[in-house]
Amino acid sequence: MAVDLLLGLQWGDEGKGKIVDVLTSNYNIIARFQGGPNAGHTLEFDGIKHVLHTIPSGIFHKDAVNLVGNGVVIDPVILKKELENLEKFGSDLKDKLLISRKAHLILPTHRLLDAASEASKGKAKIGSTLKGIGPTYMDKTGRNGIRVGDLEMADWKEKYRNLANKHEEMINFYDVDVQYDLDELETEFFKGIELLETLKFTDSEEYLHQAQKQGKTILAEGAQGSLLDIDFGTYPFVTSSNTTAAGACTGLGIAPTKIQEVFGVFKAYTTRVGSGPFPTELFDEDGERMGRVGHEFGATTGRSRRCGWLDLVALKYAVQVNGVTQLIMMKADVLSGFDTIKVCTAYNYRGQEITHFPYNIEAENVTPIYKHFEGWNQDLTGMTEVSQFPKQLEAYISFLEQELEVPIKIVSVGPDRKQTIFR
Ligand code: GDP
Ligand code: IMO
Ligand code: MG
């Protein structure tokens, strides 16, 4: 059986969580393949809003198994809080959750190292969520990390101590002021570990292999967005994992030949949280309106998201890198009421018009070139089918489909599960 893949095409927060929740009824297994609690995936139904950081967004469906794959980095402290929040909604949630033995652990000192590294960068900081993501992936690729499977070994605490001691020396190396009480952080960490140890650990690549043989359907859930990919994103203002399609193969042990549909999720405009270039960013009333109407505040850090028009140059690049087969457009409702809607169709790059995504998109090199579209005034949030769409929205969608050469199969018109229109 094939595996489908769902990922973000912009700088994260496209609405992946909502759509995974909507699509879960078609799948037996939902599997997160990279990132960690830097992610904040929001879903809403029955008037309740849930934000997930580590746990896959299929957790509210009775029959789906939710797997945290080997490519994910886990903070036991945050996972414990997530599980405690979920307890109110059903005690069997834990039984449907599987954790890969090969997933790496975020230690308290990884978070401190993140803070020290950011502080040392001053104005050039990445704008990290400070969840310890970068340092944990550095220890993974540096072959120093501690994995979930290590918790089953007798000597893991010794390994932990050695690594934490080394981290403390590294924190001292950064000449910055990072205040901490490691005893307190470790007490919290070991409580998290205790809870983690009550979950089901698995050799997840083998589990997924057998599931495929048995004809089970699998949806791989991405975190962050393609423009935050460590290789293809706006480096160094990126996260530390491969957020693009290939990351699902390494993050779950799924062969590339087994991937069927690649669902690419994008907002009808663009947002970004943290530092880094953003050619279509708005600093005017339009940008302020997108942020206000779209409630553009980070689900993990609460920071305001920077807002701007849709960047088709960047979106095409993301579609290409991921091999997207179906597009999903989110937050169309937020664009209601704009007289004119703009789409960036090319960049003026150092005086030359280009339509590909260049090495460098800093403002001194790139000015966006826009195509203008007529806006619409109708409120979309109560609409249930495409035939109700204003003609201006249909024109916007058709233009994007034509340019991206991929069909837009779902249009989302509000945060609730029900506000989802299939085309
Ligand atoms: P993710 O990280 O990709 O899962 O996205 P986030 O959850 O961080 O951010 C998306 C935000 O937009 C959340 O607050 C969602 O509840 C909300 N949202 C999702 N789809 C829609 C939509 O179609 N319209 C509106 N207005 N809000 C939406
Ligand atoms: P979801 O899955 C939006 C951003 C941070 C920062 C950069 C590096 O909810 O879409 P890190 O904590 O990884 O060191 O931060 O990446 N970032 C996100 N932005 N959504 C996310 O996840 C993000 N995860 C990280 O703001 O700019
Ligand atoms: Mg998010």
Side-chain angles (χ1 to χ4, degrees), residues 17 32 38 56 59 81 110 177 180 231 234 236 272 287 295 298 326 332 343-344 353 387 392 396 404 421:
R32 264 282 300 272
N38 47 350
I59 198 73
K81 284 190 195 134
H110 282 133
D177 183 28
Y180 61 92
D231 283 279
T234 46
R272 170 164 210 171
H295 301 290
Q326 298 188 33
V343 176
C344 166
E353 186 169 321
S387 61
Q392 296 90 337
Y396 188 69
L404 297 165
I421 301 179

PDB file of all heavy atoms in Angstrom, residues 17 32 38 56 59 81 110 177 180 231 234 236 272 287 295 298 326 332 343-344 353 387 392 396 404 421:
ATOM      1  N   GLY A  17      -2.042  21.076  10.554  1.00  0.00           N
ATOM      2  CA  GLY A  17      -2.746  20.333  11.602  1.00  0.00           C
ATOM      3  C   GLY A  17      -4.217  20.169  11.285  1.00  0.00           C
ATOM      4  O   GLY A  17      -4.778  19.079  11.385  1.00  0.00           O
ATOM      5  N   ARG A  32       4.232  11.496  12.160  1.00  0.00           N
ATOM      6  CA  ARG A  32       5.075  12.715  12.070  1.00  0.00           C
ATOM      7  C   ARG A  32       6.484  12.297  11.678  1.00  0.00           C
ATOM      8  O   ARG A  32       7.015  11.329  12.208  1.00  0.00           O
ATOM      9  CB  ARG A  32       5.132  13.395  13.439  1.00  0.00           C
ATOM     10  CG  ARG A  32       4.151  14.530  13.686  1.00  0.00           C
ATOM     11  CD  ARG A  32       4.512  15.876  13.063  1.00  0.00           C
ATOM     12  NE  ARG A  32       5.782  16.475  13.484  1.00  0.00           N
ATOM     13  CZ  ARG A  32       5.905  17.270  14.539  1.00  0.00           C
ATOM     14  NH1 ARG A  32       4.880  17.571  15.298  1.00  0.00           N
ATOM     15  NH2 ARG A  32       7.086  17.794  14.839  1.00  0.00           N
ATOM     16  N   ASN A  38       8.981  22.659  18.243  1.00  0.00           N
ATOM     17  CA  ASN A  38       8.948  23.984  17.596  1.00  0.00           C
ATOM     18  C   ASN A  38       7.643  24.111  16.808  1.00  0.00           C
ATOM     19  O   ASN A  38       7.157  25.201  16.550  1.00  0.00           O
ATOM     20  CB  ASN A  38      10.173  24.222  16.686  1.00  0.00           C
ATOM     21  CG  ASN A  38      10.482  23.059  15.751  1.00  0.00           C
ATOM     22  OD1 ASN A  38       9.923  21.973  15.870  1.00  0.00           O
ATOM     23  ND2 ASN A  38      11.384  23.283  14.815  1.00  0.00           N
ATOM     24  N   PRO A  56       1.048  13.612  16.612  1.00  0.00           N
ATOM     25  CA  PRO A  56       0.446  13.813  15.286  1.00  0.00           C
ATOM     26  C   PRO A  56      -1.021  14.265  15.382  1.00  0.00           C
ATOM     27  O   PRO A  56      -1.716  13.976  16.357  1.00  0.00           O
ATOM     28  CB  PRO A  56       0.557  12.432  14.638  1.00  0.00           C
ATOM     29  CG  PRO A  56       1.685  11.775  15.353  1.00  0.00           C
ATOM     30  CD  PRO A  56       1.609  12.263  16.768  1.00  0.00           C
ATOM     31  N   ILE A  59      -4.719  12.333  16.287  1.00  0.00           N
ATOM     32  CA  ILE A  59      -4.930  11.738  17.618  1.00  0.00           C
ATOM     33  C   ILE A  59      -6.400  11.748  18.062  1.00  0.00           C
ATOM     34  O   ILE A  59      -6.795  10.944  18.898  1.00  0.00           O
ATOM     35  CB  ILE A  59      -4.014  12.424  18.671  1.00  0.00           C
ATOM     36  CG1 ILE A  59      -3.880  11.574  19.942  1.00  0.00           C
ATOM     37  CG2 ILE A  59      -4.458  13.835  18.994  1.00  0.00           C
ATOM     38  CD1 ILE A  59      -3.031  10.358  19.806  1.00  0.00           C
ATOM     39  N   LYS A  81       3.223  17.511  29.008  1.00  0.00           N
ATOM     40  CA  LYS A  81       2.166  18.540  29.075  1.00  0.00           C
ATOM     41  C   LYS A  81       1.104  18.284  28.022  1.00  0.00           C
ATOM     42  O   LYS A  81      -0.096  18.414  28.280  1.00  0.00           O
ATOM     43  CB  LYS A  81       2.759  19.934  28.853  1.00  0.00           C
ATOM     44  CG  LYS A  81       3.489  20.448  30.065  1.00  0.00           C
ATOM     45  CD  LYS A  81       3.865  21.926  29.911  1.00  0.00           C
ATOM     46  CE  LYS A  81       4.906  22.286  30.960  1.00  0.00           C
ATOM     47  NZ  LYS A  81       6.022  23.042  30.455  1.00  0.00           N
ATOM     48  N   HIS A 110      20.019  21.201  25.848  1.00  0.00           N
ATOM     49  CA  HIS A 110      19.847  21.581  24.431  1.00  0.00           C
ATOM     50  C   HIS A 110      19.083  22.899  24.336  1.00  0.00           C
ATOM     51  O   HIS A 110      19.397  23.755  23.506  1.00  0.00           O
ATOM     52  CB  HIS A 110      19.069  20.490  23.662  1.00  0.00           C
ATOM     53  CG  HIS A 110      19.897  19.302  23.293  1.00  0.00           C
ATOM     54  ND1 HIS A 110      19.481  18.003  23.506  1.00  0.00           N
ATOM     55  CD2 HIS A 110      21.111  19.206  22.701  1.00  0.00           C
ATOM     56  CE1 HIS A 110      20.410  17.166  23.068  1.00  0.00           C
ATOM     57  NE2 HIS A 110      21.410  17.872  22.573  1.00  0.00           N
ATOM     58  N   ASP A 177      24.868  35.853  28.810  1.00  0.00           N
ATOM     59  CA  ASP A 177      24.244  35.640  30.103  1.00  0.00           C
ATOM     60  C   ASP A 177      23.015  34.739  29.957  1.00  0.00           C
ATOM     61  O   ASP A 177      21.962  35.194  29.522  1.00  0.00           O
ATOM     62  CB  ASP A 177      23.856  37.024  30.665  1.00  0.00           C
ATOM     63  CG  ASP A 177      23.259  36.890  32.055  1.00  0.00           C
ATOM     64  OD1 ASP A 177      23.613  35.927  32.756  1.00  0.00           O
ATOM     65  OD2 ASP A 177      22.434  37.756  32.424  1.00  0.00           O
ATOM     66  N   TYR A 180      20.202  29.821  34.612  1.00  0.00           N
ATOM     67  CA  TYR A 180      19.411  28.589  34.706  1.00  0.00           C
ATOM     68  C   TYR A 180      19.681  27.845  36.007  1.00  0.00           C
ATOM     69  O   TYR A 180      20.717  28.041  36.637  1.00  0.00           O
ATOM     70  CB  TYR A 180      19.675  27.687  33.500  1.00  0.00           C
ATOM     71  CG  TYR A 180      21.111  27.219  33.352  1.00  0.00           C
ATOM     72  CD1 TYR A 180      21.531  26.022  33.917  1.00  0.00           C
ATOM     73  CD2 TYR A 180      22.035  27.971  32.632  1.00  0.00           C
ATOM     74  CE1 TYR A 180      22.839  25.587  33.774  1.00  0.00           C
ATOM     75  CE2 TYR A 180      23.343  27.549  32.480  1.00  0.00           C
ATOM     76  CZ  TYR A 180      23.743  26.352  33.055  1.00  0.00           C
ATOM     77  OH  TYR A 180      25.032  25.931  32.918  1.00  0.00           O
ATOM     78  N   ASP A 231      18.099  22.397   3.833  1.00  0.00           N
ATOM     79  CA  ASP A 231      18.812  22.492   2.553  1.00  0.00           C
ATOM     80  C   ASP A 231      18.189  23.511   1.601  1.00  0.00           C
ATOM     81  O   ASP A 231      18.891  24.255   0.942  1.00  0.00           O
ATOM     82  CB  ASP A 231      18.833  21.126   1.849  1.00  0.00           C
ATOM     83  CG  ASP A 231      19.848  20.201   2.479  1.00  0.00           C
ATOM     84  OD1 ASP A 231      21.036  20.340   2.144  1.00  0.00           O
ATOM     85  OD2 ASP A 231      19.469  19.356   3.318  1.00  0.00           O
ATOM     86  N   THR A 234      15.448  29.261   3.388  1.00  0.00           N
ATOM     87  CA  THR A 234      16.171  30.533   3.335  1.00  0.00           C
ATOM     88  C   THR A 234      17.281  30.518   4.400  1.00  0.00           C
ATOM     89  O   THR A 234      17.243  31.260   5.378  1.00  0.00           O
ATOM     90  CB  THR A 234      15.187  31.686   3.575  1.00  0.00           C
ATOM     91  OG1 THR A 234      14.350  31.350   4.700  1.00  0.00           O
ATOM     92  CG2 THR A 234      14.308  31.909   2.367  1.00  0.00           C
ATOM     93  N   PRO A 236      20.562  31.036   6.538  1.00  0.00           N
ATOM     94  CA  PRO A 236      20.503  30.229   7.763  1.00  0.00           C
ATOM     95  C   PRO A 236      19.203  30.398   8.552  1.00  0.00           C
ATOM     96  O   PRO A 236      19.083  29.852   9.642  1.00  0.00           O
ATOM     97  CB  PRO A 236      21.675  30.775   8.567  1.00  0.00           C
ATOM     98  CG  PRO A 236      21.726  32.229   8.197  1.00  0.00           C
ATOM     99  CD  PRO A 236      21.296  32.299   6.752  1.00  0.00           C
ATOM    100  N   ARG A 272       5.223  34.559   8.054  1.00  0.00           N
ATOM    101  CA  ARG A 272       6.506  34.046   8.532  1.00  0.00           C
ATOM    102  C   ARG A 272       6.674  34.491   9.981  1.00  0.00           C
ATOM    103  O   ARG A 272       6.355  35.636  10.311  1.00  0.00           O
ATOM    104  CB  ARG A 272       7.628  34.611   7.645  1.00  0.00           C
ATOM    105  CG  ARG A 272       9.004  34.350   8.174  1.00  0.00           C
ATOM    106  CD  ARG A 272      10.145  34.527   7.191  1.00  0.00           C
ATOM    107  NE  ARG A 272      11.169  33.598   7.637  1.00  0.00           N
ATOM    108  CZ  ARG A 272      12.266  33.269   7.026  1.00  0.00           C
ATOM    109  NH1 ARG A 272      12.543  33.794   5.859  1.00  0.00           N
ATOM    110  NH2 ARG A 272      13.107  32.400   7.544  1.00  0.00           N
ATOM    111  N   GLY A 287      -1.214  44.446   5.488  1.00  0.00           N
ATOM    112  CA  GLY A 287      -0.518  43.428   6.281  1.00  0.00           C
ATOM    113  C   GLY A 287      -1.097  43.351   7.683  1.00  0.00           C
ATOM    114  O   GLY A 287      -1.305  42.269   8.237  1.00  0.00           O
ATOM    115  N   HIS A 295      -5.804  36.123  12.695  1.00  0.00           N
ATOM    116  CA  HIS A 295      -5.262  35.794  14.034  1.00  0.00           C
ATOM    117  C   HIS A 295      -3.858  35.224  13.906  1.00  0.00           C
ATOM    118  O   HIS A 295      -3.577  34.110  14.366  1.00  0.00           O
ATOM    119  CB  HIS A 295      -6.166  34.790  14.771  1.00  0.00           C
ATOM    120  CG  HIS A 295      -7.552  35.272  14.967  1.00  0.00           C
ATOM    121  ND1 HIS A 295      -7.866  36.289  15.833  1.00  0.00           N
ATOM    122  CD2 HIS A 295      -8.706  34.913  14.375  1.00  0.00           C
ATOM    123  CE1 HIS A 295      -9.158  36.538  15.769  1.00  0.00           C
ATOM    124  NE2 HIS A 295      -9.700  35.721  14.880  1.00  0.00           N
ATOM    125  N   GLY A 298       1.854  33.069  16.597  1.00  0.00           N
ATOM    126  CA  GLY A 298       2.452  31.730  16.634  1.00  0.00           C
ATOM    127  C   GLY A 298       1.761  30.815  17.637  1.00  0.00           C
ATOM    128  O   GLY A 298       1.507  31.223  18.762  1.00  0.00           O
ATOM    129  N   GLN A 326      -1.250  17.416  -5.150  1.00  0.00           N
ATOM    130  CA  GLN A 326      -2.531  18.075  -4.873  1.00  0.00           C
ATOM    131  C   GLN A 326      -2.266  19.259  -3.961  1.00  0.00           C
ATOM    132  O   GLN A 326      -1.532  19.129  -2.978  1.00  0.00           O
ATOM    133  CB  GLN A 326      -3.490  17.134  -4.130  1.00  0.00           C
ATOM    134  CG  GLN A 326      -3.854  15.902  -4.906  1.00  0.00           C
ATOM    135  CD  GLN A 326      -4.965  15.114  -4.190  1.00  0.00           C
ATOM    136  OE1 GLN A 326      -5.843  15.676  -3.539  1.00  0.00           O
ATOM    137  NE2 GLN A 326      -4.924  13.802  -4.326  1.00  0.00           N
ATOM    138  N   ALA A 332      -8.644  31.194   2.900  1.00  0.00           N
ATOM    139  CA  ALA A 332      -9.196  32.033   1.837  1.00  0.00           C
ATOM    140  C   ALA A 332     -10.114  33.087   2.439  1.00  0.00           C
ATOM    141  O   ALA A 332     -10.186  34.224   1.946  1.00  0.00           O
ATOM    142  CB  ALA A 332      -9.964  31.158   0.849  1.00  0.00           C
ATOM    143  N   VAL A 343      -0.583  39.103  -6.150  1.00  0.00           N
ATOM    144  CA  VAL A 343       0.220  37.874  -6.155  1.00  0.00           C
ATOM    145  C   VAL A 343       1.563  38.219  -6.791  1.00  0.00           C
ATOM    146  O   VAL A 343       1.614  38.816  -7.869  1.00  0.00           O
ATOM    147  CB  VAL A 343      -0.467  36.769  -7.001  1.00  0.00           C
ATOM    148  CG1 VAL A 343       0.418  35.529  -7.069  1.00  0.00           C
ATOM    149  CG2 VAL A 343      -1.831  36.401  -6.436  1.00  0.00           C
ATOM    150  N   CYS A 344       2.635  37.813  -6.121  1.00  0.00           N
ATOM    151  CA  CYS A 344       3.969  38.057  -6.682  1.00  0.00           C
ATOM    152  C   CYS A 344       4.258  36.970  -7.710  1.00  0.00           C
ATOM    153  O   CYS A 344       4.336  35.790  -7.368  1.00  0.00           O
ATOM    154  CB  CYS A 344       4.999  38.037  -5.555  1.00  0.00           C
ATOM    155  SG  CYS A 344       6.682  37.931  -6.153  1.00  0.00           S
ATOM    156  N   GLU A 353      14.438  40.647 -14.405  1.00  0.00           N
ATOM    157  CA  GLU A 353      13.215  39.944 -13.997  1.00  0.00           C
ATOM    158  C   GLU A 353      13.449  38.424 -14.033  1.00  0.00           C
ATOM    159  O   GLU A 353      13.847  37.886 -15.072  1.00  0.00           O
ATOM    160  CB  GLU A 353      12.066  40.327 -14.942  1.00  0.00           C
ATOM    161  CG  GLU A 353      10.750  39.741 -14.482  1.00  0.00           C
ATOM    162  CD  GLU A 353       9.552  40.313 -15.237  1.00  0.00           C
ATOM    163  OE1 GLU A 353       9.548  41.522 -15.528  1.00  0.00           O
ATOM    164  OE2 GLU A 353       8.637  39.529 -15.525  1.00  0.00           O
ATOM    165  N   SER A 387     -19.743  26.049  -5.500  1.00  0.00           N
ATOM    166  CA  SER A 387     -20.682  26.839  -6.304  1.00  0.00           C
ATOM    167  C   SER A 387     -21.053  28.159  -5.616  1.00  0.00           C
ATOM    168  O   SER A 387     -21.539  29.075  -6.254  1.00  0.00           O
ATOM    169  CB  SER A 387     -21.942  26.019  -6.585  1.00  0.00           C
ATOM    170  OG  SER A 387     -22.560  25.698  -5.357  1.00  0.00           O
ATOM    171  N   GLN A 392     -14.647  36.185  -8.215  1.00  0.00           N
ATOM    172  CA  GLN A 392     -13.268  36.690  -8.059  1.00  0.00           C
ATOM    173  C   GLN A 392     -12.375  35.647  -7.370  1.00  0.00           C
ATOM    174  O   GLN A 392     -11.201  35.524  -7.691  1.00  0.00           O
ATOM    175  CB  GLN A 392     -13.260  37.986  -7.234  1.00  0.00           C
ATOM    176  CG  GLN A 392     -13.984  39.154  -7.864  1.00  0.00           C
ATOM    177  CD  GLN A 392     -15.462  39.216  -7.466  1.00  0.00           C
ATOM    178  OE1 GLN A 392     -16.066  38.209  -7.089  1.00  0.00           O
ATOM    179  NE2 GLN A 392     -16.051  40.397  -7.572  1.00  0.00           N
ATOM    180  N   TYR A 396      -9.066  33.726  -8.865  1.00  0.00           N
ATOM    181  CA  TYR A 396      -7.798  33.648  -8.108  1.00  0.00           C
ATOM    182  C   TYR A 396      -7.305  32.194  -8.091  1.00  0.00           C
ATOM    183  O   TYR A 396      -6.148  31.899  -8.408  1.00  0.00           O
ATOM    184  CB  TYR A 396      -8.072  34.163  -6.688  1.00  0.00           C
ATOM    185  CG  TYR A 396      -6.866  34.353  -5.791  1.00  0.00           C
ATOM    186  CD1 TYR A 396      -5.939  35.352  -6.040  1.00  0.00           C
ATOM    187  CD2 TYR A 396      -6.679  33.546  -4.661  1.00  0.00           C
ATOM    188  CE1 TYR A 396      -4.848  35.548  -5.190  1.00  0.00           C
ATOM    189  CE2 TYR A 396      -5.598  33.736  -3.807  1.00  0.00           C
ATOM    190  CZ  TYR A 396      -4.686  34.740  -4.078  1.00  0.00           C
ATOM    191  OH  TYR A 396      -3.615  34.936  -3.247  1.00  0.00           O
ATOM    192  N   LEU A 404       0.765  26.940 -11.229  1.00  0.00           N
ATOM    193  CA  LEU A 404       1.469  25.910 -10.461  1.00  0.00           C
ATOM    194  C   LEU A 404       1.365  24.537 -11.122  1.00  0.00           C
ATOM    195  O   LEU A 404       2.094  23.610 -10.761  1.00  0.00           O
ATOM    196  CB  LEU A 404       0.917  25.844  -9.025  1.00  0.00           C
ATOM    197  CG  LEU A 404       1.116  27.133  -8.205  1.00  0.00           C
ATOM    198  CD1 LEU A 404       0.255  27.132  -6.954  1.00  0.00           C
ATOM    199  CD2 LEU A 404       2.594  27.280  -7.809  1.00  0.00           C
ATOM    200  N   ILE A 421     -13.736  22.868   2.128  1.00  0.00           N
ATOM    201  CA  ILE A 421     -14.496  22.635   0.899  1.00  0.00           C
ATOM    202  C   ILE A 421     -13.656  21.854  -0.108  1.00  0.00           C
ATOM    203  O   ILE A 421     -12.545  22.258  -0.463  1.00  0.00           O
ATOM    204  CB  ILE A 421     -14.962  23.993   0.305  1.00  0.00           C
ATOM    205  CG1 ILE A 421     -15.837  24.709   1.362  1.00  0.00           C
ATOM    206  CG2 ILE A 421     -15.705  23.791  -1.013  1.00  0.00           C
ATOM    207  CD1 ILE A 421     -16.350  26.058   0.958  1.00  0.00           C
TER     208      ILE A 421
END
